[in-house]
Amino acid sequence: MAVHWYPGHMHKANKDMALSLPEVDLIIELLDARLPFSSANPLLSKLGADMPRIKILSKSDLADPEVTARWQAHFEQSQTVKALLTTLTQSDKAQAVAAACRKLVPRKNNATHNIVAMITGIPNVGKSTLINAMAGKAIAKTGNEPAITKGQQRINLRNGILLVDTPGVLWPKIENELSGYRLATTGALKDTAINHVEIAYFAVDYLLKHYPQRLIERYGIEELPDNELAFLELMGARRGCLRAGGQVDLDKVSSLLLNELRSGKLGQVSFETPEMVELELDEIRRRQTEKAEVRKKKRVERKARRKV
Ligand SMILES: Nc1nc2c(ncn2[C@@H]2O[C@H](COP(=O)(O)OP(=O)(O)OP(=O)(O)O)[C@@H](O)[C@H]2O)c(=O)[nH]1
Ligand SMILES: [Mg+2]
């Protein structure tokens, strides 16, 4: 799915983050544990690339623990990942992040200078929630929809750490189509920017393949159909998502499914594994090489025509 949601405040947020970098000592990058690759916005990965960085897999309570453990092992192989906090409660996580900040910026671990930590991540990943946990009170506005934070906000924790909350940013262009679908499924795109039925088709197709038992248990459907439309129609009939005349209201049943999936009612679900992502990246590279070859061939042909 091509993602077309890059509102003006995201352009500004990117610029502001780059401008603030000289004052920042370290970056805290939040990834969504359900889609650690697709939520790792390359713009944010490049931001302050040589700066100390703490990576956090957020919302791990909603992700499949077995898959999260695989991602954790995958990330820990990398030299650049300093800390990866997953299964901790918000308050333990807050304490662990503060301790990691002090460890990573030892020169400022004193009473005279604040460590400045910038929190980055895609929309709705939990940046402001983490800040509130670190502050011990609700300072930053949070909400279960993307683009709650629209501008940078600085919060002095008065314990030697100053946090910079930033608005969630997405990619201007997402190379991997599946990443777009996963971001829409988990709620990183504004609801008005997506077609619920198209996203529900993607989600049901994925659940039928990877978590069929959850669908059976949640919706009491004994025999699962083999396609997503048939499933949504059955589910719609059971849940009373009907239009006048008795036809299933696909839009309504799609929204219902996405809401239940996002709020964990279908259990802990992950949308990608390191192995799946490796295959997808291979496919993207193959397509890029193919495109480059076609372009080269056309160039050669044009040149040959000019010579005639
Ligand atoms: N289940 C679960 N929900 C979480 C977690 N962290 C945050 N949330 C919820 O996710 C939603 C978004 O959280 P925010 O902290 O506002 O996210 P944000 O990254 O600041 O979002 P923007 O400012 O819009 O970019 C809220 O409803 C939070 O309660 C978590 O670890 N688990
Ligand atoms: Mg926020």
Side-chain angles (χ1 to χ4, degrees):
M1 187 193 66
V3 170
H4 298 294
W5 188 54
Y6 199 71
H9 83 267
M10 286 195 196
H11 277 290
K12 181 161 183 330
N14 262 324
K15 270 194 188 157
D16 288 349
M17 278 194 275
L19 282 175
S20 302
L21 266 194
E23 301 161 39
V24 171
D25 297 304
L26 95 162
I27 290 177
I28 301 174
E29 185 184 4
L30 268 71
L31 305 175
D32 188 317
R34 295 166 295 174
L35 52 160
F37 167 75
S38 297
S39 59
N41 182 343
L43 294 172
L44 299 178
S45 306
K46 277 188 207 136
L47 187 81
D50 44 9
M51 206 170 255
R53 181 178 297 248
I54 302 171
K55 287 201 191 209
I56 298 179
L57 288 182
S58 178
K59 302 199 177 181
S60 53
D61 55 317
L62 295 174
D64 185 334
E66 190 260 326
V67 177
T68 304
R70 272 152 69 191
W71 276 110
Q72 199 152 358
H74 168 84
F75 281 123
E76 278 161 7
Q77 286 168 6
S78 145
Q79 298 272 307
T80 56
V81 177
K82 293 285 185 264
L84 218 114
L85 306 147
T86 53
T87 50
L88 300 178
T89 62
Q90 285 292 352
S91 71
D92 287 349
K93 198 184 279 174
Q95 280 188 14
V97 174
C101 289
R102 295 201 178 91
K103 196 168 155 206
L104 286 172
V105 191
R107 73 195 149 78
K108 281 200 180 172
N109 194 3
N110 56 50
T112 45
H113 292 101
N114 277 321
I115 297 169
V116 183
M118 183 187 266
I119 309 212
T120 65
I122 58 163
N124 207 21
V125 72
K127 299 175 292 298
S128 301
T129 303
L130 176 67
I131 287 182
N132 289 341
M134 290 181 79
K137 55 186 168 193
I139 283 184
K141 195 174 168 205
T142 65
N144 197 11
E145 56 175 296
I148 288 286
T149 306
K150 293 257 176 20
Q152 261 186 28
Q153 190 186 356
R154 282 161 190 255
I155 291 142
N156 192 336
L157 297 184
R158 310 224 171 273
N159 63 358
I161 298 175
L162 193 143
L163 297 176
V164 184
D165 191 9
T166 64
V169 293
L170 284 168
W171 300 240
K173 181 174 176 287
I174 298 181
E175 289 279 355
N176 187 1
E177 220 185 23
L178 290 166
S179 290
Y181 278 108
R182 290 172 189 147
L183 288 162
T185 303
T186 49
L189 301 178
K190 203 158 183 74
D191 257 1
T192 47
I194 66 169
N195 174 337
H196 285 92
V197 179
E198 190 190 352
I199 304 308
Y201 281 161
F202 168 81
V204 172
D205 177 55
Y206 182 80
L207 291 166
L208 283 171
K209 286 186 185 129
H210 299 271
Y211 296 93
Q213 200 55 32
R214 308 284 180 82
L215 292 174
I216 295 174
E217 282 162 17
R218 177 78 194 158
Y219 301 112
I221 296 171
E222 290 303 323
E223 290 214 4
L224 286 177
D226 63 358
N227 76 78
E228 52 275 28
L229 175 61
F231 174 83
L232 285 172
E233 284 181 335
L234 264 178
M235 178 183 159
R238 293 208 170 200
R239 286 299 182 92
C241 299
L242 302 173
R243 288 205 200 132
Q247 252 189 347
V248 169
D249 184 336
L250 267 185
D251 209 51
K252 199 166 167 193
V253 70
S254 297
S255 298
L256 182 72
L257 179 104
L258 291 176
N259 283 334
E260 297 210 349
L261 182 57
R262 288 172 187 170
S263 61
K265 291 203 173 80
L266 280 145
Q268 295 174 305
V269 172
S270 290
F271 289 91
E272 57 194 19
T273 64
E275 297 74 25
M276 276 160 70
V277 165
E278 207 39 61
L279 289 175
E280 288 163 21
L281 288 175
D282 280 349
E283 174 61 20
I284 290 176
R285 283 189 281 266
R286 193 190 60 72
R287 266 188 276 154
Q288 281 171 342
T289 316
E290 235 175 55
K291 265 192 199 161
E293 274 165 12
V294 170
R295 275 200 302 272
K296 193 172 159 198
K297 205 172 145 206
K298 280 189 180 155
R299 254 200 324 271
V300 171
E301 280 170 4
R302 270 201 306 274
K303 244 185 183 169
R305 273 202 301 274
R306 275 203 297 272
K307 276 189 186 156
V308 175

